[in-house]
Amino acid sequence: MLEANVRARAFYRRYGFTETADRTHSSLNNLPELRLRLDLRTASTHQGGPQG
C-alpha cells in the first residue's frame, strides 16, 4: 500500500491490520510503500469487520 494513502491506512487499521517496519518503493514513480499485517488469532474477534 502506498504510504501516503491515508484513507486506505485508516480503513485497514479499522479492521485490525497493523503496519510493519517494512518499507519499499513502488515500481510506479518510486513512491514509498508500506506493508501491513493481520494477526488471525485476534482478527476473528475484531468487531466491525467486513462480515460483521
Side-chain angles (χ1 to χ4, degrees):
M1 168 189 345
L2 292 177
E3 191 170 14
N5 192 340
V6 177
R7 290 182 68 190
R9 291 171 72 175
F11 174 86
Y12 283 105
R13 205 171 21 255
R14 186 170 37 249
Y15 292 110
F17 286 81
T18 57
E19 296 178 8
T20 69
D22 295 338
R23 295 292 190 270
T24 188
H25 286 83
S26 71
S27 59
L28 178 65
N29 296 330
N30 202 30
L31 297 171
E33 291 185 338
L34 56 90
R35 181 170 292 184
L36 303 174
R37 90 180 270 243
L38 178 64
D39 186 347
L40 296 177
R41 292 171 290 174
T42 59
S44 62
T45 60
H46 181 73
Q47 296 297 318
Q51 298 297 322

